[in-house]
Amino acid sequence: MAKDLVCGMEVMEEDAAASTEYKGKKYYFCAKTCKQKFDEDPEKYILGEKGTEEKSIKREMEADDGKDRETEADEKGMPEHEKSRDLKSERIDLPIVGMSCASCASTIQRNLSKIKGVEKANVNFATSKASVLYQPQFVTPEDFISSVRKSGYEVGTASIEIPIQGMQCASCVQNIEKTLLIKKGVTKASVNLATERAKVEYLPSEISLVEIKNVIEQAGYKVLDIPSEEELGDAERRTREREYKKLRLKFFAGLFLGLIIFLGSMPDLFPWIPDFLNNFFVLWILATPVQFWIGWQFYRGAWGAFRHRNADMNTLIAVGTSAAYLYSVTATLFPSFFESGGMKPEVYFDTSAMIIILILFGRLLEARAKGQTSEAIKKLVGLQPKTARVLRDGKEADIPVEEVLVGEVIIVRPGEKIPVDGVVQEGKSTADESMITGESMPVRKEVGDEVIGATINKTGSFRFQAKKVGKDTALAQIVKLVQDAQGSKAPIQRLADVIAGYFVPIVISIAIATFVIWFNFGPTPALTFALLNFVAVMIIACPCALGLATPTAVMVGTGKGAENGILIKGGESLEMAHKLTTIVFDKTGTLTKGEPEVTDIAPLNSYSDTEILKFAASAERSSEHPLGEAIIKKAEERQVSLHDPRQFNAVEGHGIEAIVEGIPVLLGNLKFMKDRKIEIKGLIEKTESLAKEGKTPIYVAIDGLAAGLIAVADTLKENSVQAVAKLKELGLEVIMLTGDDRRTAEAIARKAAIDRVLSEVLPEDKVLEIKRLQSEGKKVAMVGDGINDAPALAQADVGIAIGSGTDVAMEASDITLIKGDLQGVVAAIELSRRTFRVIKQNLFWAFFYNTAGIPIAAGILYPFFGILLNPILASAAMAFSSVSVVSNSLRLRRMKLRI
Amino acid sequence: MVEKLIVTGSGVLLIALVNWYFFFSKRKSA
C-alpha cells in the first residue's frame, strides 16, 4: 500500500491510476490529476505532509475533475471512496475568516476532525477554506461552524433578511426554520414572527438566494421580493399596507355576516329577527363565505404546515371551525339522521363564523401593534436627509443623497441636515448630534473636525468633504445594527419555539380525547357537547401568544436603546446583560477622560500659580507632548497671556528647556532637575503626597531656581462616580482594569469608589483577566473604549464598547454606547433587566392561557361546577392573549432611561 | 354501545395517526 502524497489517500500500487518517478523513487497516485499536481512541484509534496496545502489540492482536484475521479475510483474499488458512498457522505466548503498562519489552519482542522460523523476535514490556509467530508445523519454543517468559532475563527457566511408573508404563529416560525435548516448551505435560520422576517445565514457557495426563496415558498409562505436595500423598505411597506387593508376589509365583511348569523342562530334571545334568518339553509349560505373566503388563510396555512409534517395554530383553527361547520352542514342537509337518533338537529354556523372573526380581529390589532414595535427603525431611517448640496465643477448642485460620492465637497447652511459623514474643510459651526449620540449639547465643528450624517447644523455655514456615504455612514451602520438585533433571537425564544412545535399535535390529541370522553360519558345530547368541547380545546390552545412573547419585547427593548444611543447587538446580548454579576471597566478613556489634565499647581519661593502657568505654558508652546498640551489648556482656561518661547529644546524622556521673555525656563521630571543641578528640596513633601494620589509631578525651574511644580493626572469623567455607585446599587461588582502601576490605579479607583482593582495588566493580558473572572463563575461585562480592548470585549460575556463607536469596537462588542457617558452602562443593564422582566411576564401569560385554558375548554370543571367554555369565548380569550402580550411589550417604550 | 365503540376506536386511531405523522414519520425534505 502506498500513499498518494497529493491527496493523502492510501493507494494499492498495482491499482494506482497513475505513477511517476522522482529522484529514483516511485510515487503512486489515485488519479491522473494528482500525478499532474505532483509533477508540477514534487518537492512540495515530498517535503511537507504539512497538512493543509495538500488537502486543498485534493479538494481542488475533486472540484475540477470530480466526476472523472469518481469513475476511476469506482473502477479501482478504493475502500475509502466506497465507504463514503455507502454512508452517503456529503462535502461542504466553508470560507474561514481570521486565519493568520498555517497553524491556525491545523487547529481548525484538528477540531473539525474530532467531531463525530466527520470523515475528513481539510483546512487550507491559502484559500482560507475548510472542506469537510461528513455523514449528514450524524452531524450538520452548523456543528462545523460552531467548532470553527470555538477555535477562535469565523466562518464567512453571508446573511440576508427575507420578508415573509403568511406566518401566523410560533409554529410557522418553527416550520420555516426547520425547512430552511434542512437545506445544505443554510447555516442559521432565525425567523421572527413580529417583524415577519427570516434572517438566514448561508454559504453562498452552497446555496443561492433564489433557492432559499423557493424553499420558503414550498413550505407554504410567500416571500416578498429580495431587492436592493433601498427598494426593500418601500416595497415591503406597500405590500404590508395592502395586506393590512385586505385584512381589515375581510374583518368588517366577516363582522357584518357574522352578526347576522349570530342573531339568526338565537331566535329565543332575539325574537324580533325576521323568521327567514332562522332558516338553516340561509345561515349556511351566510356562513360559507366566512368559512372559505374570510377564513381561507387558515386553510392555506394549515395545508402548508401539514405538507411538511408540521402543525400550527392555523391547523387548530382550520380543523376546529371546519368541525363545527361540517357538523352544521350535515344537520342542515340530513336533519332526519339526527331525529332518528332521538336528537334535535342543531347548527353551529355562528360558532365557526365568530371564531374566525374574533381571531381575525386579534390579528388586525396585532398587525397594528407590530407596526409600532419597529417604530425605532422608522425613526432612525427618517433621520436621513434626502438631498445634498455638492460642489461639482465649481457649481453648487442639489442631488439625491444616494448619489454623493466619497471625496466630494458638500455645502451645509445653518439649520440644514448634514447629509453624509465627512470632515470639515472650511467654515465653522455647531452641530446638534443628539439624534445619533444622545448628547444634547451642540458640538463645535471647526476645520478638521468630523461631522456625522443626519445631524443638524445649527449656527454657521461650512463645507466638508464626504468620507463615508451610503451604507458606510454612521447612521446606516446603526440602522443595520438595530435591524440585525431586532431580527435576532434571544436564546429564551428557542425554548418557546420548541414547545410550540410539540404543542399543536398534543393539543389535537387532547381535543380528540375530549371528543371521545364527552361522547361516551357526557350528558345528552352527547354529540353536541363532544363537538363543542372539541372545538373549544382546539381554539383556546393556539400558541400564537407564545410566538410573540419574546420577539416583540426584544424589538421594543433594542429600539428603545437605539433611541438613547445604546446599540444592542442582538437578543442574545440583551438576555446575557440581565444575568451579569460583574462589570469590569477599562481605566483610560473609559472611567477617565483619557487625556491628562493639570490638577494641582504648587508654587515655591515668591511665584504665584499664574506666573508658573505662564512660564510653563509659554515654554510648552512649541512642544507636542500631551502633558505640555494639558498645561497650555489650563493656562488658556485661566486666560493667562502666553509668549512665544525661544531656543526651545526637548530632552527626550526628561523634559524641555526654552527661553521665555528672556528668562530661561526648565520643565521636567526629577532626573532632569538633578541633571541641571536645580535644588528642589522644598518640593519633596508635595511630590510624595501627589504621587499617593496617582498624579505626575512636573517640576518648573525659572532662571535656574526651582519655582514650583505642576501636577498632571488623567481625571475621571463627570459621570463615572455616579455610574459606579448606581451599578453597585444594582447589586453588581465593579472592577477596574488597567495597565497603570498600582498606586496610580488605586488612587483613581478610590475616587470612583471602586473596591477591586486589577492593575499593571498588559493589554494582551486583559483577556486572561476576564477569563479568570469568568472561571470564578462570574458573568462578566467588559466596558472598554476601543481597538486595544477589542479582544477583552469579545471574551467578556457582554462586551460594552464606549465612545465613538469605532468599527472594530462595534464588531467586537455586544453593546455599543455611542455617547461616551458611563451612565449608558447603567441604562443598558436596566433596559436589559426590564426587557427580560417583560419577556418573562409574556411567557408566563402565554403559557398560562394555553395550559390553564385547555382543561377548562375540555370541560374538566363541568362535573364539579357545571362550567363549560363556549368556543366563541375561547376564541375571544385567544385573541386577547396575543394582544395582551404585544401590549405588554409596548410598555417598554414608555420606560425612562436614566442617561 | 356500538356507536361508542366506533367513536372510541376512531379517536384512538386518530390520536395515534396524528402523533405518528407529526413526530415519528420520516420528515420529508423540502
Side-chain angles (χ1 to χ4, degrees), chain A residues 178-179 183 218 306-311 502 505 508-509 512-513 516 519-520, chain B residues 3-4 7-8 11 14-15 18-23 25-30:
Chain A
K178 274 186 202 158
T179 0
K183 274 283 170 194
Q218 277 165 16
F306 183 80
R307 277 195 315 167
H308 290 91
R309 288 175 158 69
N310 272 317
Y502 285 102
I508 297 175
S509 308
I512 297 169
V516 171
F519 187 83
N520 287 338
Chain B
E3 280 169 4
K4 286 184 178 182
V7 167
T8 310
L14 257 175
I15 292 174
V18 165
N19 285 285
W20 169 81
Y21 185 76
F22 290 116
F23 294 136
S25 70
K26 197 172 175 293
R27 191 173 289 276
K28 259 193 291 186
S29 76

Side-chain angles (χ1 to χ4, degrees), chain A residues 153 312 352 391 631 726:
Chain A
Y153 306 90
D312 55 20
S352 62
L391 209 59
I631 294 172
K726 188 80 195 106

Side-chain angles (χ1 to χ4, degrees), chain A residues 541-561:
Chain A
C542 286
C544 78
L546 208 57
L548 288 170
T550 314
T552 50
V554 169
M555 279 177 76
V556 179
T558 47
K560 182 81 196 172

Side-chain angles (χ1 to χ4, degrees), chain A residues 728-777:
Chain A
K728 282 182 170 173
E729 224 173 88
L730 290 173
L732 296 157
E733 184 189 11
V734 182
I735 297 176
M736 187 173 93
L737 188 65
T738 176
D740 289 359
D741 66 88
R742 221 188 69 213
R743 216 154 61 160
T744 315
E746 279 176 354
I748 286 281
R750 246 193 326 273
K751 276 190 194 153
I754 294 175
D755 312 319
R756 193 166 165 192
V757 181
L758 303 171
S759 56
E760 294 166 40
V761 181
L762 296 172
E764 58 269 30
D765 291 340
K766 283 186 179 174
V767 177
L768 294 177
E769 288 296 334
I770 301 286
K771 275 190 189 163
R772 213 167 47 77
L773 289 169
Q774 285 170 329
S775 68
E776 289 170 22

Side-chain angles (χ1 to χ4, degrees), chain A residues 6-77:
Chain A
V6 176
C7 67
M9 216 166 74
E10 299 286 332
V11 195
M12 301 286 281
E13 283 91 344
E14 57 273 25
D15 289 338
S19 65
T20 191
E21 235 181 71
Y22 182 74
K23 288 188 178 170
K25 198 177 167 199
K26 204 158 188 191
Y27 296 94
Y28 296 90
F29 304 96
C30 69
K32 280 173 192 151
T33 41
C34 279
K35 177 182 177 298
Q36 269 172 19
K37 301 266 180 195
F38 182 85
D39 288 342
E40 279 167 19
D41 188 2
E43 289 291 335
K44 187 162 98 184
Y45 300 105
I46 296 167
L47 287 177
E49 288 180 45
K50 281 181 185 159
T52 57
E53 190 63 27
E54 52 176 335
K55 281 148 193 164
S56 82
I57 303 273
K58 178 196 171 195
R59 221 173 51 255
E60 279 168 33
M61 180 197 67
E62 277 180 2
D64 295 344
D65 197 23
K67 227 175 173 180
D68 267 350
R69 192 164 159 277
E70 289 252 322
T71 334
E72 278 177 29
D74 273 350
E75 286 161 7
K76 310 281 175 207

